[in-house]
Amino acid sequence: MAREVLRVTAGLTGLAVGLTACGGGGSTRPTTGPPRDGGVLRIVGSSDVEHLDPAGASSVGAYGLVRTYARTLFGTRASNDFNETVPVRADVAARIPTRENGGVSENGTTYTVRLRQGVYWSTSPPRPVTAHDFVRGVKRMCNPASPSAGQRYYTPTIKGMDGFCHGFGAVDAKDPEAIAAYQNAHEIGGLRAEDDHTLVFALTRPASDFLNLLSLPATAAAPAEYDRYLPDGPEFRQHTVSDGPYRITQYKPGVSYLLSRNPAWRQDTDPLRERHVEKIRITLGQDSADTVQQQIEQGSADLAWDQPVPTAALPRVRRDPRFAIRDTPSNSPYLVFNTLSPGNGGALGRREVRQALEYAIDRSALVKIVGGPDVASPLHTVIPPGNAGHAPTDRYPTAGEAGDPGRCRRLLAEAGYTGLKLEFPYRTNSVHRLIAQSIKDNLAGCGVTAELRADTGGDFYAETISSPARAREGKWDIAAPGWTPDWYGNNGRTLVQPLFDGRGYGKNSINYGGYDSAEVNGLIDAALTAPDAGRAAGHWQRADQKIMEDAAIVPLLDRAHTIFRSSRVGGAVFLPTAAGYDYTRLWLAD
């Protein structure tokens, strides 16, 4: 047998896939051939998702989980051929709307989407999913309790949505009845359910990536039952309703999930998913990637939940057919500065200080930590290779990618800042502790003290770095999150807008450091209104250059995803945006 190493390189106009393989030993269990039904898929990992509510889902882990129980109008298909994962395909929509079939108006500003028949909620009795449920889903992304981090994709795009969301923000974020009342009494001018089976979207201007936007979890259909609960609150998390192949039948926050088959789901109504295993059990709380890897190799677990293969295990598993390197062109991790922090006299709010710190980082050490050049390469731009708008450049070069602590010290002194002390929360799973320690050591070479703070559970994203109040209070100064694009292909919008559009800063924002530049905001608008993808790419490139000039972040690595499966797992096809295998396509050999 052979193991696959998938490496992807992509330009502005397309994506090319290369596949290499080498011989290797491994299990002879029959994990190829026709899928088998039944069994329990066992997944083990560290942290709970930051948002279980599809309206707020933003991490790769949440994307993979939500896919099992929340369906969108459109989506993508998992595949080990990267090119096959890029096209938008119909999900609950009956077909892709085009000008030719009457689904898109001649001026590109009206989309009419018809729903396929036979899609049902897991209610008792089962109830059809309707166009009204999709209207509710879009509205919910602006709720004040747990708003979608990606709502800025939609507010300037769908007519009337900006005003709807602005009004929604004034509602009591702790009152589910008030939230439901506003949602149901107010309409979005550019969105209506013409009947139970037809949706009409009116756009402020043509958007060539609009179908991509309708493939994101935040736009998933939402049943009327969700009006009873605070969005993403504890009660909501115990009462999710499914229109996908699985449903959550048991959830212990931070401890475990049990997903069981949704009896209302039918294969003939779902072109993107399948359903083979009887149950999916996700066990959380295991921060050691080495322990997780041992469990998979020994057969007591099947997949890792939120951790790639540990670096120390790579030499041992490289020739194992159960191992793969899947390229997910991404900015992961990157170092973000809290520009709003009052710490050190507001030092991180000054561009000169951030520019000095750009020279601190030894990327060559980080590449080694995550597994070497087969797994990661140094990154110096906001937009990674393989994404629309990428242009290779290095504004802060250092010899051998090793950093330049001397220059960092000199520039800090010139800016009038020495002896900085920075609060540095870090994720505890996978290699994030090692990455944080390496960055801490690099900063020490600049005369900067970084105070490391372990951030366990799902709080790193859900609370620590996505809370504007904590940012302004200086609860953290630097952090090392990661960002995988929400989609590939025509995706310039997803690399810049959510992370750097200052106009969207607020609760759950992915613009963690509160960066706000009128010039960058203007370039985002110019890209979104550009007449073609080529000219849009030029605006994205200039936005990237300005962000790096302002040193809003320190790009660190363009990192592929290393993944390993147990000997009994078949049907392993990859979802790049979820950085994992599609759980709905997996089957078990015993």
Side-chain angles (χ1 to χ4, degrees):
M1 299 179 70
R3 65 97 174 167
E4 293 176 323
V5 178
L6 188 67
R7 304 298 295 165
V8 181
T9 56
L12 297 177
T13 58
L15 297 168
V17 178
L19 184 67
T20 63
C22 63
S27 169
T28 58
R29 293 188 182 191
T31 54
T32 58
R36 303 180 182 186
D37 289 350
V40 179
L41 179 68
R42 304 158 304 175
I43 304 171
V44 179
S46 174
S47 302
D48 207 340
V49 296
E50 80 298 2
H51 299 293
L52 188 58
D53 189 334
S58 59
S59 68
V60 291
Y63 272 31
L65 179 60
V66 166
R67 181 181 177 89
T68 67
Y69 65 87
R71 294 178 61 183
T72 47
L73 292 167
F74 306 97
T76 56
R77 188 167 178 82
S79 175
N80 293 333
D81 178 341
F82 189 90
N83 285 338
E84 291 182 2
T85 71
V86 174
V88 177
R89 305 172 191 268
D91 187 350
V92 179
R95 64 184 182 181
I96 296 289
T98 64
R99 286 182 173 85
E100 290 71 25
N101 65 24
V104 182
S105 64
E106 285 301 316
N107 65 2
T109 61
T110 302
Y111 283 69
T112 302
V113 182
R114 305 193 191 284
L115 274 57
R116 68 176 71 242
Q117 303 295 301
V119 180
Y120 287 87
W121 292 114
S122 61
T123 51
S124 183
R127 187 178 70 246
V129 174
T130 70
H132 304 281
D133 295 324
F134 280 99
V135 171
R136 182 181 297 105
V138 173
K139 286 181 174 181
R140 291 184 75 253
M141 76 171 70
C142 295
N143 77 79
S146 183
S148 170
Q151 65 177 273
R152 281 291 300 170
Y153 290 150
Y154 307 89
T155 50
T157 306
I158 300 174
K159 283 186 177 179
M161 189 159 177
D162 190 42
F164 173 87
C165 292
H166 182 75
F168 213 165
V171 175
D172 185 350
K174 298 181 180 180
D175 186 343
E177 291 186 7
I179 290 172
Y182 178 90
Q183 171 190 290
N184 297 325
H186 295 77
E187 301 302 325
I188 298 172
L191 172 60
R192 74 177 190 275
E194 203 165 76
D195 53 44
D196 282 353
H197 310 294
T198 309
L199 281 161
V200 180
F201 295 87
L203 311 188
T204 58
R205 54 182 177 257
S208 60
D209 59 1
F210 187 59
L211 296 186
N212 294 102
L213 300 188
L214 296 183
S215 72
L216 302 185
T219 65
E225 285 81 357
Y226 283 1
D227 287 358
R228 303 172 186 170
Y229 314 113
L230 195 68
D232 205 39
E235 278 193 283
F236 174 94
R237 289 188 172 214
Q238 296 296 336
H239 295 90
T240 53
V241 181
S242 173
D243 58 354
Y246 293 93
R247 57 180 177 169
I248 299 173
T249 50
Q250 185 183 79
Y251 170 54
K252 298 178 181 178
V255 177
S256 65
Y257 290 89
L258 181 65
L259 282 72
S260 305
R261 291 182 173 184
N262 172 13
W265 179 84
R266 289 167 32 194
Q267 178 66 79
D268 62 353
T269 69
D270 195 333
L272 301 181
R273 300 163 190 79
E274 298 174 11
R275 185 176 66 191
H276 302 297
V277 302
E278 184 73 26
K279 297 180 185 294
I280 301 171
R281 177 173 286 113
I282 302 168
T283 304
L284 308 172
Q286 182 49 262
D287 289 340
S288 169
D290 293 299
T291 300
V292 171
Q293 179 66 22
Q294 290 171 10
Q295 292 180 25
I296 299 172
E297 291 186 41
Q298 294 167 2
S300 59
D302 297 308
L303 287 175
W305 162 245
D306 57 355
Q307 307 184 83
V309 177
T311 303
L314 292 176
R316 182 177 72 251
V317 303
R318 280 188 186 276
R319 297 175 64 84
D320 193 310
R322 299 169 293 176
F323 170 74
I325 301 175
R326 303 292 180 197
D327 207 338
T328 53
S330 59
N331 197 337
S332 185
Y334 63 92
L335 189 69
V336 61
F337 298 111
N338 178 5
T339 65
L340 306 177
S341 174
N344 303 285
L348 294 183
R350 293 193 57 187
R351 181 170 66 174
E352 295 85 353
V353 171
R354 302 192 302 269
Q355 288 174 332
L357 297 176
E358 292 276 352
Y359 289 100
I361 307 303
D362 182 352
R363 290 177 176 83
S364 66
L366 299 181
V367 169
K368 292 176 183 176
I369 287 172
V370 301
D374 286 347
V375 176
S377 56
L379 185 64
H380 303 281
T381 56
V382 168
I383 301 175
N387 293 277
H390 171 72
T393 186
D394 184 358
R395 189 178 183 89
Y396 308 97
T398 65
E401 300 286 356
D404 188 342
R407 187 168 188 179
C408 176
R409 279 179 176 270
R410 289 193 301 273
L411 291 175
L412 283 175
E414 290 173 9
Y417 287 89
T418 57
L420 295 178
K421 293 184 179 181
L422 305 178
E423 294 293 324
F424 187 3
Y426 67 92
R427 293 172 280 172
T428 56
N429 62 318
S430 186
V431 294
H432 296 301
R433 180 184 62 79
L434 297 176
I435 289 172
Q437 184 63 53
S438 182
I439 294 171
K440 171 185 170 74
D441 294 343
N442 295 161
L443 292 171
C446 295
V448 176
T449 300
E451 298 288 345
L452 294 182
R453 185 179 78 247
D455 209 337
T456 57
D459 286 345
F460 177 79
Y461 283 115
E463 297 292 340
T464 300
I465 64 173
S466 63
S467 166
R470 293 193 182 193
R472 294 189 176 98
E473 291 169 5
K475 297 297 186 182
W476 66 277
D477 294 301
I478 57 174
W483 179 248
T484 297
D486 282 323
W487 67 90
Y488 289 99
N490 181 17
N491 72 343
R493 183 195 301 242
T494 185
L495 271 303
V496 176
Q497 188 178 28
L499 274 67
F500 303 105
D501 189 335
R503 297 164 295 185
Y505 185 67
K507 185 175 182 179
N508 290 351
S509 173
I510 298 172
N511 179 4
Y512 302 118
Y515 172 76
D516 190 11
S517 162
E519 183 176 341
V520 169
N521 295 344
L523 287 166
I524 290 171
D525 291 343
L528 295 177
T529 57
D532 57 69
R535 275 180 276 192
H539 294 304
W540 295 126
Q541 287 178 14
R542 286 190 286 279
D544 189 328
Q545 292 163 4
K546 175 59 177 172
I547 294 163
M548 289 310 304
E549 177 187 337
D550 287 345
I553 67 168
V554 182
L556 299 174
L557 299 176
D558 176 15
R559 183 180 174 193
H561 189 74
T562 55
I563 191 167
F564 193 89
R565 64 186 188 273
S566 77
S567 297
R568 68 181 194 144
V569 171
V573 286
F574 196 70
L575 276 168
T577 53
Y581 291 129
D582 184 347
Y583 303 141
T584 74
R585 302 278 297 280
L586 299 177
W587 54 273
L588 304 173
D590 58 9

